[in-house]
Amino acid sequence: MYFAALLARTEDGWKASDTELDDVETLSDLTDLAREISVDEDTVLVYIEQEDAWFGVVRVDGEEDPRIYVSDASAAARSSYGEILLTDEMLGREPGAEDEIAALEELVDLDGTEDGEPERSASAAVDPDDAADPDAVPAGPIGELGVLADLGMSEKELLTLQTDALAEIAEAVGAAEILESVR
């Protein structure tokens, strides 16, 4: 079960709304959604959580690139909405590398050998560089820890959030009462 909320800063304070992410397929879609509710290109926070497994905050300031924090990258990677937030840049991958890897895997049989190539024996030496999975997603937090620092939540506070993280974030940025109206 997911919950998503948008907090948009206005000159009169914060405006909150819960939102459905059914039509959101990419980070660009999510950023566009945030910009649509922005007033005068002010800050918009997009909050997404999956039943206390992980949460993510995307901060959109006008036309700047979105800034992202995810509380548990490995848990988010197993989620369709989490995958949207985990960009190649955050994961230290070359952009589009996944597509290239998938194309290369199609050229190789399931046993890891090309057609006509002898299979490796189980006793063959394993190169230590092959043992690490370059596509592995790290466990734990990832992204920009200071994403909320200028709004009242320090990096340390962000890292220690557990359950009901949205309420604590809303409290720190001064949007707790507004958030309760949409929850």
Side-chain angles (χ1 to χ4, degrees):
M1 179 88 163
Y2 292 93
F3 176 76
L6 299 169
L7 296 172
R9 187 161 57 177
T10 69
E11 65 181 42
D12 298 327
W14 290 90
K15 177 176 88 173
S17 62
D18 62 342
T19 188
E20 291 295 322
L21 299 177
D22 294 341
D23 296 332
V24 174
E25 295 179 6
T26 65
L27 180 59
S28 181
D29 292 344
L30 188 61
T31 303
D32 290 345
L33 179 68
R35 287 186 177 126
E36 286 174 13
I37 71 155
S38 176
V39 177
D40 297 326
E41 296 188 357
D42 277 335
T43 299
V44 176
L45 301 176
V46 180
Y47 177 88
I48 302 171
E49 87 177 2
Q50 180 185 9
E51 294 184 350
D52 298 329
W54 66 273
F55 71 89
V57 177
V58 178
R59 178 176 176 163
V60 178
D61 292 302
E63 292 299 317
E64 293 180 26
D65 288 340
R67 297 165 53 195
I68 305 166
Y69 170 80
V70 176
S71 66
D72 186 337
S74 62
R78 295 185 297 269
S79 152
S80 59
Y81 295 124
E83 286 180 339
I84 291 171
L85 303 182
L86 299 174
T87 65
D88 287 337
E89 181 181 341
M90 283 177 67
L91 297 172
R93 298 180 186 157
E94 290 292 320
E98 252 181 54
D99 297 336
E100 291 174 19
I101 291 169
L104 289 173
E105 286 176 347
E106 287 181 20
L107 299 174
V108 178
D109 289 337
L110 293 176
D111 63 4
T113 61
E114 292 187 37
D115 287 339
E117 183 179 297
E119 290 186 32
R120 292 184 203 166
S121 68
S123 63
V126 176
D127 184 349
D129 292 339
D130 291 343
D133 181 2
D135 292 327
V137 176
I142 192 168
E144 191 172 328
L145 294 175
V147 69
L148 301 172
D150 65 323
L151 298 175
M153 178 162 278
S154 71
E155 293 177 10
K156 182 180 177 183
E157 290 171 315
L158 188 61
L159 283 170
T160 60
L161 293 178
Q162 299 287 325
T163 58
D164 208 17
L166 178 57
E168 291 185 46
I169 291 170
E171 181 73 33
V173 302
E177 288 181 28
I178 299 298
L179 177 66
E180 284 304 314
S181 68
V182 297
R183 231 170 175 197

